[in-house]
Amino acid sequence: MALARLGRNDHRLALSAADCTTLEPLATAWLARGITVDYLTTALTAGLPAHIDSPAGLLHRRLTDKIPPHIPRATEDRSPDTKEPTHEALLVECTNCRRPGPPQALPDGLCRPCHHAHTTGSNDTTAPTTEEIATVKAHIANLRNLLKPA
């Protein structure tokens, strides 16, 4: 069905029923790899030439050459004995001092010391000094200069 819609999205990719039948196994291979129909459509229509002599030939080539790698599903990653899905250890950073920790240790995005300082209104001991601010500004200015065209 996604192949038949390509001609509606771009008249240069109009396919016959026979063309759709021929290309269907290739498109099905993409979908079997966990690709969505929208992603498939975008991959097939991105960067089209101005003139297309053979829409079926072009799409066959793209379906063959641009097929994405197989992405294992979550059930394939687990051993048969595992009942719960396995998760890699996830660490997040405190939004104030950038201290890493597990998500449950950083309620509202703040570590315990920063959360305490924020709720009690005490002075923030992790605030940058004037020298640190000047160093960051100089570094950013240098990066901007490097990005300027020569």
Side-chain angles (χ1 to χ4, degrees):
M1 174 144 78
L3 294 171
R5 273 190 293 171
L6 291 174
R8 291 185 187 148
N9 294 343
D10 191 328
H11 70 280
R12 296 174 293 172
L13 296 177
L15 298 172
S16 68
D19 290 338
C20 290
T21 303
T22 303
L23 296 173
E24 184 179 7
L26 295 172
T28 303
W30 278 58
L31 299 174
R33 292 176 182 231
I35 301 302
T36 64
V37 172
D38 289 335
Y39 182 90
L40 173 67
T41 303
T42 303
L44 294 177
T45 58
L48 290 173
H51 181 71
I52 299 173
D53 291 323
S54 172
L58 174 78
L59 292 173
H60 183 275
R61 181 71 182 210
R62 286 188 171 201
L63 284 166
T64 304
D65 293 349
K66 296 175 85 174
I67 190 164
H70 176 71
I71 300 170
R73 293 189 176 106
T75 55
E76 294 174 16
D77 292 339
R78 296 186 276 161
S79 67
D81 300 336
T82 308
K83 295 186 193 264
E84 292 295 320
T86 57
H87 299 288
E88 293 181 25
L90 176 67
L91 291 179
V92 293
E93 290 181 342
C94 172
T95 56
N96 189 39
C97 69
R98 301 184 60 94
R99 180 177 291 136
Q104 59 273 22
L106 299 166
D108 299 326
L110 297 171
C111 65
R112 186 171 289 142
C114 291
H115 189 269
H116 178 70
H118 179 70
T119 55
T120 60
S122 64
N123 289 339
D124 185 16
T125 59
T126 60
T129 65
T130 358
E131 289 178 11
E132 291 172 330
I133 292 172
T135 303
V136 169
K137 286 184 178 182
H139 182 69
I140 295 299
N142 183 39
L143 291 174
R144 285 188 182 124
N145 287 333
L146 291 172
L147 291 174
K148 290 181 182 176

